Amino acid sequence: MFKMAFRSLFRYGKRTAITVFAISIGVALAIFTKGVLIGVDLDSTRNLIKYETGGAKVFPKGYFEDMKYFPVDKFIEREEKEEIFKKISELDKDIKFTGEFISSGEVMFYEDPFPASGSVKAIIHTLPYNQEVYEINKDNLEGSWLEKNSDEVVIGSKLADDMKAKIGYYLTIQSRGRDGFLQAFDVKIGGILNTGNPVIDASAVYVDMDFTDSLFELNGGVNSIVFNWGNDIVQTINQTTDKVSIIRAIASSLGDFETYDWEDLSSDLIALQKTKDASSGILLFFLFIIATVGITNTMLMAVSERKNEIAMLRALGYKGSYIKSLFAIEGGLIGAIGAICGAILGLLIVWPCKVYGIDFSSLMGDMDIGYRINAIMYAAIDMKSIILIVLFAFGVSVLSAWIAVRHSSKGEISEIMRRI
Amino acid sequence: MKLIETIELSKVYKTVSEDVHALTKINLEIEEGELCAISGPSGSGKTTLLNLIALLDKPTEGDVKLDGVLYQSLSENQRTALRRDQIGMIFQSFNLIPVLSAWENVELALNVLPKETLEKKLGIKTKEDRKKICFKSLEEVGLKGLENRRPNELSGGQQQRISIARAIVKQPKVLLADEPTANLDRKNGEKILEVIGLLNKEKGLTCIYSSHDKLVLDHVRRIIRLVDGRVTDV
C-alpha cells in the first residue's frame, strides 16, 4: 500500500509539487505568524516583570484598587516592611525583594542647558540604590545607577529624548509625599535607562530612597514591596504559584496586606494578549480553512482522475477502507513533505527575526499598542507550536484525501464506472 | 455442470424523468467450461447483465446463482469475498495502475486474498512464490520478458493481456470480459481472444464476454442475444 501511494506521488508530479508548495507556504506563514506573536508576548511579559511588576507585589489594603492613581495615603510602615523581609529571607532565600514608593509627578526642565523650558508628567519610583529586584545593568543603562543618599536620578530614555536631556543636566521634580503634600526638589540626571519597556522608558524617574525619605516623609515606609525570583523569565513564570503562596502567607500573617502576582498586576496586558490571541486565532483559522479547501480540492481532482482505479480495486475485492487508506496515505505523504518543507522554510524566516528582530519603528512611531515592547519585535521559535502546525497540516492532508476518496468510492462498482 | 444461473433477473435504473428497464426477467444457465458471449446493440443491457453476474451491481429483482450460491443471500462482505475469490474480470479500458509494473499489477489480485486461499488454493507461501506465480500468469498470456515494464511502456494489446493475467492469477471459476477488444485493433483483438480461448480450452475456465464485436462473436461457441433488456436468442 505504501509503495503504491509513494509511487503515485511521482506519477502526478506536477500536482504533487503544487500541493506541496501550497502546504509549505501555509505552514511557513503559520510558523512565522505564530513565532512573531509568541515572541511579542514573551518579550512583553519579560519587560513587564523585569521593570514594572517583578514576580509579585505586596500592598497595603486598598492600594491595589486605586493603583492607577498612585495613591500616597496607604503605607507599609518600616517595622512591617522589615518583618516581611526577615520572614521571607528565613523561608526562601531565592526570593529577592525591595520596598518602593511610587508617586505621580511632574519633571520641569529649563532652557540652557535644555533647548527649551517645559515640563512633562512622570512617575517617580523611589527605590533603594542597592535593590536587586528590577534588572538594571550596563546593557540598558547609560551613565550610572542611583547612589546612596545622592541627588542623582535615573530617567527613562524616551523621557530623556522628549526633553532632549543629557547626563549631568539638572531637573526639578514636583511630586507628592506621604498623605499627598506637594514637594519639589532639584536633581541631577545621573543615568538614562533604556529598558525596551515603553511605559518605563517614557515616564520613569528613579530616585534613591534614602535621598527622598525625608523629602517625602516616608519614615522608612513604602507603598509596595516588590518580589522576584529565578534566574530568568521562564523560571520566574513557572515558579509564580509556589513563590506567591509563600509571600501571600507571610504578608497576610503580618498585617492587613494584599499580595498580587505579575498577572494580577498586568491585567491590561493580559486582556490585550487575550484579544490578540482571539484575533490571531481567527486569522490562523481562516488560513487553515483556505489551506484545507485547497488541499481538499486538489485531492478531489486527483481522486476523480483515478475513479477507474478505485472501481478496479473494488472489483478485485479490495474493501472501501483499504482504498480510503491508500489515498489517505498518499495525502499524508504529500502533507508530510509539504509540512516538513514548510517547517524548514518557516524556521529560516523566523530565525533572523528572532536574532535581529523586525523593526516596526517606521510603521508605529510613538504609537502605544499596549505591549511592553519597543518598535523592534523579536520572534520566538516555539517548537510546541511548530510541531502542532506540522501535525495539523499533515492531519488536514490525510483527512482531505479521505473525504475525497470517500465520496468517489461510494455506491456500487458499476455506478462508479459509469461516473468515469 | 451448471455454473451460473440467472433467475428472473431484472434491473431498473431510476432517473429523474423515468425508470429505465435495463434488464427484464432474464433466465439463463451457463455451464462450467463454457465460452460464450452476451451480445446485442448498444443499450441492450449486456454490460448490466455482466456486472450483475460479476457482483459489481445489485439487481432490482431476481437473483444470480454462482456454483450453487445465491447472491441475494450474501452479506456485503460475503459478496466482496466471492468476487475476490471466484470471479476474474477484464475491463474495456484495462484499468491498470500506471505506477506499478506488469507483474505488480498482476500481484494486486493476490494481495487481497486471504492467507489460507493463497496457501491452499494457489500454493503461495513466500513472497518469492507470489512473484513466480505472477510471472507464470504473464507467461500464459504471452508477456514473458515484459514483467517489469510499466503499462505505459506496453501496447494496448499487451496492457489488456496484463489485465487477463491479473484476472486469472487467482484461478477464478469464471472469467468475465466486458468489451475486451473495444479499445484494440483487429490484430491485438485476435491475440486477446486467442489467449482467452486457450485458457478456456486448456484449463476449462468458464469465459463470458459482453460484446457486439463480430470478432468476438465468431470466436465463441454460444451467443446470448439481448434486445431492450430481454433475451431474444440463446
PDB file of all heavy atoms in Angstrom, chain B residues 55-78:
ATOM      1  N   LEU B  55     -21.068  -9.402  -9.710  1.00  0.00           N
ATOM      2  CA  LEU B  55     -21.323  -8.819  -8.379  1.00  0.00           C
ATOM      3  C   LEU B  55     -20.854  -7.368  -8.292  1.00  0.00           C
ATOM      4  O   LEU B  55     -20.491  -6.884  -7.222  1.00  0.00           O
ATOM      5  CB  LEU B  55     -20.634  -9.636  -7.286  1.00  0.00           C
ATOM      6  CG  LEU B  55     -21.325 -10.921  -6.865  1.00  0.00           C
ATOM      7  CD1 LEU B  55     -20.323 -11.859  -6.194  1.00  0.00           C
ATOM      8  CD2 LEU B  55     -22.435 -10.629  -5.874  1.00  0.00           C
ATOM      9  N   LEU B  56     -20.837  -6.704  -9.421  1.00  0.00           N
ATOM     10  CA  LEU B  56     -20.459  -5.287  -9.410  1.00  0.00           C
ATOM     11  C   LEU B  56     -21.687  -4.406  -9.223  1.00  0.00           C
ATOM     12  O   LEU B  56     -21.577  -3.197  -9.066  1.00  0.00           O
ATOM     13  CB  LEU B  56     -19.757  -4.898 -10.717  1.00  0.00           C
ATOM     14  CG  LEU B  56     -18.487  -5.658 -11.057  1.00  0.00           C
ATOM     15  CD1 LEU B  56     -17.880  -5.123 -12.352  1.00  0.00           C
ATOM     16  CD2 LEU B  56     -17.461  -5.567  -9.943  1.00  0.00           C
ATOM     17  N   ASP B  57     -22.853  -5.029  -9.268  1.00  0.00           N
ATOM     18  CA  ASP B  57     -24.103  -4.283  -9.140  1.00  0.00           C
ATOM     19  C   ASP B  57     -25.140  -5.198  -8.491  1.00  0.00           C
ATOM     20  O   ASP B  57     -24.941  -6.420  -8.423  1.00  0.00           O
ATOM     21  CB  ASP B  57     -24.564  -3.837 -10.536  1.00  0.00           C
ATOM     22  CG  ASP B  57     -25.441  -2.592 -10.468  1.00  0.00           C
ATOM     23  OD1 ASP B  57     -25.849  -2.219  -9.344  1.00  0.00           O
ATOM     24  OD2 ASP B  57     -25.716  -2.005 -11.530  1.00  0.00           O
ATOM     25  N   LYS B  58     -26.212  -4.599  -8.016  1.00  0.00           N
ATOM     26  CA  LYS B  58     -27.271  -5.397  -7.389  1.00  0.00           C
ATOM     27  C   LYS B  58     -28.521  -5.362  -8.269  1.00  0.00           C
ATOM     28  O   LYS B  58     -28.862  -4.293  -8.790  1.00  0.00           O
ATOM     29  CB  LYS B  58     -27.604  -4.834  -6.014  1.00  0.00           C
ATOM     30  CG  LYS B  58     -26.568  -5.186  -4.964  1.00  0.00           C
ATOM     31  CD  LYS B  58     -26.946  -4.595  -3.631  1.00  0.00           C
ATOM     32  CE  LYS B  58     -25.879  -4.904  -2.602  1.00  0.00           C
ATOM     33  NZ  LYS B  58     -25.981  -4.072  -1.435  1.00  0.00           N
ATOM     34  N   PRO B  59     -29.195  -6.490  -8.410  1.00  0.00           N
ATOM     35  CA  PRO B  59     -30.404  -6.486  -9.250  1.00  0.00           C
ATOM     36  C   PRO B  59     -31.566  -5.805  -8.534  1.00  0.00           C
ATOM     37  O   PRO B  59     -31.584  -5.717  -7.304  1.00  0.00           O
ATOM     38  CB  PRO B  59     -30.689  -7.978  -9.448  1.00  0.00           C
ATOM     39  CG  PRO B  59     -30.076  -8.645  -8.264  1.00  0.00           C
ATOM     40  CD  PRO B  59     -28.910  -7.809  -7.843  1.00  0.00           C
ATOM     41  N   THR B  60     -32.514  -5.330  -9.328  1.00  0.00           N
ATOM     42  CA  THR B  60     -33.730  -4.768  -8.741  1.00  0.00           C
ATOM     43  C   THR B  60     -34.645  -5.916  -8.298  1.00  0.00           C
ATOM     44  O   THR B  60     -35.269  -5.864  -7.241  1.00  0.00           O
ATOM     45  CB  THR B  60     -34.467  -3.882  -9.773  1.00  0.00           C
ATOM     46  OG1 THR B  60     -33.521  -3.011 -10.368  1.00  0.00           O
ATOM     47  CG2 THR B  60     -35.563  -3.065  -9.121  1.00  0.00           C
ATOM     48  N   GLU B  61     -34.668  -6.928  -9.133  1.00  0.00           N
ATOM     49  CA  GLU B  61     -35.443  -8.140  -8.802  1.00  0.00           C
ATOM     50  C   GLU B  61     -34.686  -9.354  -9.300  1.00  0.00           C
ATOM     51  O   GLU B  61     -33.825  -9.254 -10.169  1.00  0.00           O
ATOM     52  CB  GLU B  61     -36.816  -8.100  -9.487  1.00  0.00           C
ATOM     53  CG  GLU B  61     -37.880  -7.352  -8.700  1.00  0.00           C
ATOM     54  CD  GLU B  61     -39.199  -7.301  -9.457  1.00  0.00           C
ATOM     55  OE1 GLU B  61     -39.524  -8.269 -10.168  1.00  0.00           O
ATOM     56  OE2 GLU B  61     -39.872  -6.260  -9.360  1.00  0.00           O
ATOM     57  N   GLY B  62     -35.038 -10.519  -8.779  1.00  0.00           N
ATOM     58  CA  GLY B  62     -34.421 -11.754  -9.227  1.00  0.00           C
ATOM     59  C   GLY B  62     -33.079 -11.992  -8.561  1.00  0.00           C
ATOM     60  O   GLY B  62     -32.696 -11.259  -7.634  1.00  0.00           O
ATOM     61  N   ASP B  63     -32.378 -13.001  -9.066  1.00  0.00           N
ATOM     62  CA  ASP B  63     -31.123 -13.362  -8.405  1.00  0.00           C
ATOM     63  C   ASP B  63     -30.176 -14.040  -9.397  1.00  0.00           C
ATOM     64  O   ASP B  63     -30.573 -14.417 -10.496  1.00  0.00           O
ATOM     65  CB  ASP B  63     -31.413 -14.312  -7.234  1.00  0.00           C
ATOM     66  CG  ASP B  63     -30.369 -14.208  -6.137  1.00  0.00           C
ATOM     67  OD1 ASP B  63     -29.297 -13.619  -6.408  1.00  0.00           O
ATOM     68  OD2 ASP B  63     -30.615 -14.704  -5.026  1.00  0.00           O
ATOM     69  N   VAL B  64     -28.916 -14.161  -8.941  1.00  0.00           N
ATOM     70  CA  VAL B  64     -27.913 -14.901  -9.713  1.00  0.00           C
ATOM     71  C   VAL B  64     -27.370 -15.994  -8.800  1.00  0.00           C
ATOM     72  O   VAL B  64     -27.189 -15.767  -7.600  1.00  0.00           O
ATOM     73  CB  VAL B  64     -26.749 -13.972 -10.157  1.00  0.00           C
ATOM     74  CG1 VAL B  64     -25.707 -14.760 -10.946  1.00  0.00           C
ATOM     75  CG2 VAL B  64     -27.265 -12.803 -10.967  1.00  0.00           C
ATOM     76  N   LYS B  65     -27.141 -17.152  -9.384  1.00  0.00           N
ATOM     77  CA  LYS B  65     -26.580 -18.255  -8.599  1.00  0.00           C
ATOM     78  C   LYS B  65     -25.240 -18.628  -9.221  1.00  0.00           C
ATOM     79  O   LYS B  65     -25.170 -18.889 -10.427  1.00  0.00           O
ATOM     80  CB  LYS B  65     -27.547 -19.440  -8.635  1.00  0.00           C
ATOM     81  CG  LYS B  65     -27.294 -20.467  -7.540  1.00  0.00           C
ATOM     82  CD  LYS B  65     -28.102 -21.726  -7.775  1.00  0.00           C
ATOM     83  CE  LYS B  65     -29.464 -21.671  -7.112  1.00  0.00           C
ATOM     84  NZ  LYS B  65     -30.217 -22.934  -7.296  1.00  0.00           N
ATOM     85  N   LEU B  66     -24.178 -18.588  -8.429  1.00  0.00           N
ATOM     86  CA  LEU B  66     -22.865 -18.995  -8.919  1.00  0.00           C
ATOM     87  C   LEU B  66     -22.422 -20.216  -8.122  1.00  0.00           C
ATOM     88  O   LEU B  66     -22.274 -20.140  -6.895  1.00  0.00           O
ATOM     89  CB  LEU B  66     -21.843 -17.855  -8.742  1.00  0.00           C
ATOM     90  CG  LEU B  66     -20.387 -18.203  -9.063  1.00  0.00           C
ATOM     91  CD1 LEU B  66     -20.177 -18.482 -10.543  1.00  0.00           C
ATOM     92  CD2 LEU B  66     -19.444 -17.085  -8.625  1.00  0.00           C
ATOM     93  N   ASP B  67     -22.240 -21.314  -8.837  1.00  0.00           N
ATOM     94  CA  ASP B  67     -21.818 -22.563  -8.198  1.00  0.00           C
ATOM     95  C   ASP B  67     -22.704 -22.905  -6.987  1.00  0.00           C
ATOM     96  O   ASP B  67     -22.199 -23.288  -5.920  1.00  0.00           O
ATOM     97  CB  ASP B  67     -20.353 -22.421  -7.755  1.00  0.00           C
ATOM     98  CG  ASP B  67     -19.653 -23.781  -7.710  1.00  0.00           C
ATOM     99  OD1 ASP B  67     -20.200 -24.751  -8.275  1.00  0.00           O
ATOM    100  OD2 ASP B  67     -18.576 -23.863  -7.088  1.00  0.00           O
ATOM    101  N   GLY B  68     -23.993 -22.675  -7.153  1.00  0.00           N
ATOM    102  CA  GLY B  68     -24.958 -23.037  -6.112  1.00  0.00           C
ATOM    103  C   GLY B  68     -25.192 -21.961  -5.059  1.00  0.00           C
ATOM    104  O   GLY B  68     -26.045 -22.115  -4.187  1.00  0.00           O
ATOM    105  N   VAL B  69     -24.440 -20.867  -5.145  1.00  0.00           N
ATOM    106  CA  VAL B  69     -24.591 -19.806  -4.132  1.00  0.00           C
ATOM    107  C   VAL B  69     -25.464 -18.680  -4.695  1.00  0.00           C
ATOM    108  O   VAL B  69     -25.152 -18.104  -5.740  1.00  0.00           O
ATOM    109  CB  VAL B  69     -23.216 -19.230  -3.719  1.00  0.00           C
ATOM    110  CG1 VAL B  69     -23.379 -18.108  -2.699  1.00  0.00           C
ATOM    111  CG2 VAL B  69     -22.319 -20.325  -3.174  1.00  0.00           C
ATOM    112  N   LEU B  70     -26.562 -18.395  -3.984  1.00  0.00           N
ATOM    113  CA  LEU B  70     -27.450 -17.305  -4.414  1.00  0.00           C
ATOM    114  C   LEU B  70     -26.908 -15.966  -3.902  1.00  0.00           C
ATOM    115  O   LEU B  70     -26.642 -15.799  -2.715  1.00  0.00           O
ATOM    116  CB  LEU B  70     -28.854 -17.531  -3.844  1.00  0.00           C
ATOM    117  CG  LEU B  70     -29.750 -18.499  -4.618  1.00  0.00           C
ATOM    118  CD1 LEU B  70     -30.944 -18.886  -3.768  1.00  0.00           C
ATOM    119  CD2 LEU B  70     -30.194 -17.914  -5.941  1.00  0.00           C
ATOM    120  N   TYR B  71     -26.732 -15.022  -4.810  1.00  0.00           N
ATOM    121  CA  TYR B  71     -26.139 -13.733  -4.427  1.00  0.00           C
ATOM    122  C   TYR B  71     -26.964 -12.996  -3.372  1.00  0.00           C
ATOM    123  O   TYR B  71     -26.421 -12.354  -2.470  1.00  0.00           O
ATOM    124  CB  TYR B  71     -26.016 -12.819  -5.655  1.00  0.00           C
ATOM    125  CG  TYR B  71     -24.923 -13.206  -6.636  1.00  0.00           C
ATOM    126  CD1 TYR B  71     -24.142 -14.344  -6.440  1.00  0.00           C
ATOM    127  CD2 TYR B  71     -24.671 -12.417  -7.750  1.00  0.00           C
ATOM    128  CE1 TYR B  71     -23.156 -14.688  -7.352  1.00  0.00           C
ATOM    129  CE2 TYR B  71     -23.687 -12.745  -8.664  1.00  0.00           C
ATOM    130  CZ  TYR B  71     -22.934 -13.892  -8.464  1.00  0.00           C
ATOM    131  OH  TYR B  71     -21.963 -14.215  -9.355  1.00  0.00           O
ATOM    132  N   GLN B  72     -28.274 -13.053  -3.539  1.00  0.00           N
ATOM    133  CA  GLN B  72     -29.133 -12.270  -2.632  1.00  0.00           C
ATOM    134  C   GLN B  72     -29.010 -12.731  -1.182  1.00  0.00           C
ATOM    135  O   GLN B  72     -29.340 -11.984  -0.256  1.00  0.00           O
ATOM    136  CB  GLN B  72     -30.613 -12.366  -3.052  1.00  0.00           C
ATOM    137  CG  GLN B  72     -30.920 -11.752  -4.399  1.00  0.00           C
ATOM    138  CD  GLN B  72     -31.015 -10.230  -4.358  1.00  0.00           C
ATOM    139  OE1 GLN B  72     -30.183  -9.578  -3.743  1.00  0.00           O
ATOM    140  NE2 GLN B  72     -32.007  -9.675  -5.022  1.00  0.00           N
ATOM    141  N   SER B  73     -28.519 -13.964  -0.980  1.00  0.00           N
ATOM    142  CA  SER B  73     -28.398 -14.480   0.387  1.00  0.00           C
ATOM    143  C   SER B  73     -27.108 -13.997   1.055  1.00  0.00           C
ATOM    144  O   SER B  73     -26.880 -14.253   2.235  1.00  0.00           O
ATOM    145  CB  SER B  73     -28.397 -16.017   0.359  1.00  0.00           C
ATOM    146  OG  SER B  73     -27.225 -16.478  -0.301  1.00  0.00           O
ATOM    147  N   LEU B  74     -26.270 -13.283   0.290  1.00  0.00           N
ATOM    148  CA  LEU B  74     -24.946 -12.921   0.821  1.00  0.00           C
ATOM    149  C   LEU B  74     -24.934 -11.519   1.448  1.00  0.00           C
ATOM    150  O   LEU B  74     -25.621 -10.618   0.970  1.00  0.00           O
ATOM    151  CB  LEU B  74     -23.904 -12.947  -0.308  1.00  0.00           C
ATOM    152  CG  LEU B  74     -23.729 -14.281  -1.047  1.00  0.00           C
ATOM    153  CD1 LEU B  74     -22.747 -14.100  -2.210  1.00  0.00           C
ATOM    154  CD2 LEU B  74     -23.240 -15.376  -0.113  1.00  0.00           C
ATOM    155  N   SER B  75     -24.115 -11.390   2.475  1.00  0.00           N
ATOM    156  CA  SER B  75     -23.892 -10.057   3.050  1.00  0.00           C
ATOM    157  C   SER B  75     -22.904  -9.311   2.144  1.00  0.00           C
ATOM    158  O   SER B  75     -22.314  -9.915   1.234  1.00  0.00           O
ATOM    159  CB  SER B  75     -23.283 -10.189   4.449  1.00  0.00           C
ATOM    160  OG  SER B  75     -21.981 -10.732   4.334  1.00  0.00           O
ATOM    161  N   GLU B  76     -22.698  -8.033   2.412  1.00  0.00           N
ATOM    162  CA  GLU B  76     -21.785  -7.236   1.586  1.00  0.00           C
ATOM    163  C   GLU B  76     -20.370  -7.821   1.616  1.00  0.00           C
ATOM    164  O   GLU B  76     -19.688  -7.914   0.586  1.00  0.00           O
ATOM    165  CB  GLU B  76     -21.784  -5.788   2.094  1.00  0.00           C
ATOM    166  CG  GLU B  76     -21.283  -4.757   1.096  1.00  0.00           C
ATOM    167  CD  GLU B  76     -21.980  -4.827  -0.255  1.00  0.00           C
ATOM    168  OE1 GLU B  76     -23.233  -4.860  -0.325  1.00  0.00           O
ATOM    169  OE2 GLU B  76     -21.244  -4.873  -1.262  1.00  0.00           O
ATOM    170  N   ASN B  77     -19.938  -8.238   2.801  1.00  0.00           N
ATOM    171  CA  ASN B  77     -18.592  -8.814   2.921  1.00  0.00           C
ATOM    172  C   ASN B  77     -18.482 -10.133   2.170  1.00  0.00           C
ATOM    173  O   ASN B  77     -17.451 -10.424   1.560  1.00  0.00           O
ATOM    174  CB  ASN B  77     -18.222  -9.031   4.397  1.00  0.00           C
ATOM    175  CG  ASN B  77     -17.793  -7.730   5.055  1.00  0.00           C
ATOM    176  OD1 ASN B  77     -17.485  -6.753   4.372  1.00  0.00           O
ATOM    177  ND2 ASN B  77     -17.800  -7.723   6.381  1.00  0.00           N
ATOM    178  N   GLN B  78     -19.563 -10.916   2.217  1.00  0.00           N
ATOM    179  CA  GLN B  78     -19.540 -12.207   1.508  1.00  0.00           C
ATOM    180  C   GLN B  78     -19.529 -12.001  -0.010  1.00  0.00           C
ATOM    181  O   GLN B  78     -18.876 -12.741  -0.735  1.00  0.00           O
ATOM    182  CB  GLN B  78     -20.751 -13.058   1.924  1.00  0.00           C
ATOM    183  CG  GLN B  78     -20.615 -13.622   3.345  1.00  0.00           C
ATOM    184  CD  GLN B  78     -21.905 -14.247   3.838  1.00  0.00           C
ATOM    185  OE1 GLN B  78     -23.010 -13.759   3.560  1.00  0.00           O
ATOM    186  NE2 GLN B  78     -21.770 -15.333   4.591  1.00  0.00           N
TER     187      GLN B  78
END
